[in-house]
Amino acid sequence: MLKWLSIVCSMMYVLATTNMAEVLKVPLFVEHLMEYEGNFAEFVMEHYDNHKEDSDWDTDQKLPFINPPIVLTVNAQLPELIFHIEKPKEITIPQKNSTYQEKNFPSLCLSRIFQPPRLS
């Protein structure tokens, strides 16, 4: 049961992500592989890695994913972005005069940890 489920899921993925015309060429791929004198890796390397024109060139051009059609072409142009950096305006903050005046405190207050604030 698990084997069939994995096969069905794999087929759904392949059919959803590839062009159907290329999937229909798989029997031709298998037939051409059976006629080939060599193993699978040699077949793929010869036919899909910079294939040179040979006696069965017409059959080779019908293999799947040799000449896949361009299904969707997207032409996107990004808008031109212009940034204007303005000079920041000078902000002046008026300073308030302090109304605190230091007074002479008794020595008892100065000897404690908590003392009143002092101006420096």
Side-chain angles (χ1 to χ4, degrees):
M1 180 66 180
L2 187 60
K3 178 181 175 183
W4 286 106
L5 181 63
S6 65
I7 290 172
V8 168
C9 290
S10 299
M11 289 304 295
M12 286 175 44
Y13 176 76
V14 167
L15 293 174
T17 58
T18 59
N19 190 355
M20 191 61 177
E22 299 299 318
V23 174
L24 293 176
K25 293 179 183 179
V26 171
L28 180 65
F29 176 84
V30 173
E31 180 182 329
H32 197 59
L33 176 63
M34 295 297 184
E35 295 171 359
Y36 183 73
E37 297 171 0
N39 62 15
F40 178 75
E42 292 172 356
F43 175 80
V44 171
M45 290 295 290
E46 182 180 326
H47 289 86
Y48 288 95
D49 185 29
N50 297 327
H51 184 54
K52 310 257 185 311
E53 195 167 337
D54 55 0
S55 61
D56 62 345
W57 178 256
D58 294 332
T59 308
D60 294 343
Q61 292 303 308
K62 294 177 186 175
L63 290 174
F65 304 109
I66 292 284
N67 298 318
I70 299 173
V71 178
L72 176 64
T73 302
V74 177
N75 185 10
Q77 183 177 3
L78 296 175
E80 185 177 335
L81 299 175
I82 300 173
F83 292 101
H84 295 288
I85 300 175
E86 297 179 6
K87 183 179 177 184
K89 296 179 182 177
E90 190 173 319
I91 300 173
T92 57
I93 300 173
Q95 293 188 358
K96 297 181 180 178
N97 293 334
S98 176
T99 57
Y100 175 76
Q101 294 178 357
E102 191 168 342
K103 298 179 182 175
N104 291 331
F105 293 101
S107 63
L108 183 62
C109 289
L110 295 175
S111 65
R112 295 187 187 160
I113 295 176
F114 297 106
Q115 297 180 3
R118 298 181 185 178
L119 289 177
S120 52

